[in-house]
Amino acid sequence: MIEGAKRLHTVEEYYFSKKLREVNMLKAAGKPIINLGIGSPDLQPPQKVITAITEGLQDANAHKYQSYQGLPELREAMAGFYREQFQVHLSPMTEILPLMGSKEGIMLISMAYLNEGDEVLIPNPGYPTYQSVTKLLGAKPVFYELDEANNWMPNIMALEKQDLSKVKLMWISYPHMPTGAQANYKVFEKLIDFAKRNNILLVNDNPYSFILTDAPRSILKVNGAKEVCIELNSLSKTFNMAGWRVGMVLGDGKHINNILKVKSNMDSGMFYGIQKGAIEALRCSKLWYLSLNSVYEQRRALVWKLAEALNCTYDKNASGLFVWAKLPPYAKAEEFIDVLLKNNHLFVAPGTIFGSQGEGYIRFSLCASTEDIQEAITRVL
């Protein structure tokens, strides 16, 4: 029998891929499962976005291979989006690269910069893909712990005491996934200084910047950030376009060019119609964001009630697409969610899938209707 590559032994199947099979089996057996575990937006994109992709199908160039760098109009729209929303000025020619989702960017950035044996600073808790991609490339994950006492911010003094000689890359994600903690510009400045002192490429994964926050921030706004920072962003959450797979990586031209070297060998460009739809999304007015967050505010208020019904506590100042809730003392996250699934037919994510620092926490998604969340409250009362 032909065996898989040794690198496959360094990772496991993604948690949600496995768990959703169990959830789907329960659904198939007639169980009325309410899914509050996945951050997949259930709302519709703006209508003008859907119109743009539909019209794009009729264009003479729609079915040809597309540019590895995306349409010039798409890069212009991304530059305009960052200029208007973050007050960050970027060259659409050299400092922006459209991606097929920001998750693709995690792999591309890692492939562009990591050699076997390099070390990568990864948040605990944090997005599991940072760790899995690092392992797949033969690099070494080095976890830095985040905790509630420090508002889920990196402890730079503790990091400075470590041997950082092999560290090439550091992942951060603010607004933070899964906790929703928001970093201010002072935190960004300290992280940039840390990266400069230690010759580390700092990557801010920023897909939740417009969900339930009044102050979207980009690390690239900080003076001197481009020397050592790049940023990922996505249309998935902001415009309800998760299945479209549209993201972007932004930063200094030399970093973008390195990533392009990898990307141009991995795919043959994003579908034309999707690019046209993305352009329209990026041009949305403030009314779109107000309308989107109005829905999420209603849902979050209900999820807070659900958390309270389960004797959990939470931070009302957190942002993003989730509610990160602390379990009652001595409760174990995975045991807790398994009981909820079995007894109440309610699926939520255990904090442990985001790292050991997630023990004692669960994560609720806001990607469910108010009716479903109210029904979940009824089930646990």
Side-chain angles (χ1 to χ4, degrees), residues 106-242:
I106 297 170
M107 175 61 85
L108 296 177
I109 292 165
S110 299
M111 291 182 73
Y113 283 94
L114 295 178
N115 298 309
E116 190 171 345
D118 284 342
E119 295 183 353
V120 180
L121 290 171
I122 295 173
N124 176 15
Y127 187 34
T129 299
Y130 306 144
Q131 176 186 177
S132 59
V133 167
T134 299
K135 288 181 174 180
L136 283 169
L137 294 177
K140 179 183 176 182
V142 177
F143 296 99
Y144 62 93
E145 293 189 351
L146 307 177
D147 57 50
E148 190 174 0
N150 197 36
N151 194 30
W152 310 102
M153 297 294 138
N155 185 334
I156 294 175
M157 289 182 65
L159 285 171
E160 292 278 18
K161 294 176 182 177
Q162 299 180 28
D163 178 6
L164 302 171
S165 59
K166 293 183 179 180
V167 174
K168 189 82 169 286
L169 199 63
M170 179 177 182
W171 291 100
I172 61 172
S173 177
Y174 291 103
H176 184 243
M177 203 290 291
T179 70
Q182 301 183 66
N184 58 34
Y185 283 113
K186 281 191 175 181
V187 170
F188 283 155
E189 287 169 3
K190 290 177 181 178
L191 283 164
I192 290 166
D193 289 343
F194 166 76
K196 287 180 178 179
R197 286 194 301 272
N198 295 283
N199 196 32
I200 294 170
L201 181 63
L202 183 64
V203 188
N204 186 39
D205 190 10
N206 192 18
Y208 298 98
S209 43
F210 292 90
I211 308 298
L212 295 173
T213 176
D214 295 327
R217 298 184 184 97
S218 166
I219 198 168
L220 297 177
K221 188 177 179 182
V222 177
N223 287 336
K226 288 183 190 177
E227 295 175 34
V228 291
C229 297
I230 53 181
E231 184 161 271
L232 288 168
N233 215 315
S234 168
L235 275 65
S236 294
K237 277 70 177 182
T238 305
F239 301 105
N240 302 325
M241 295 166 63

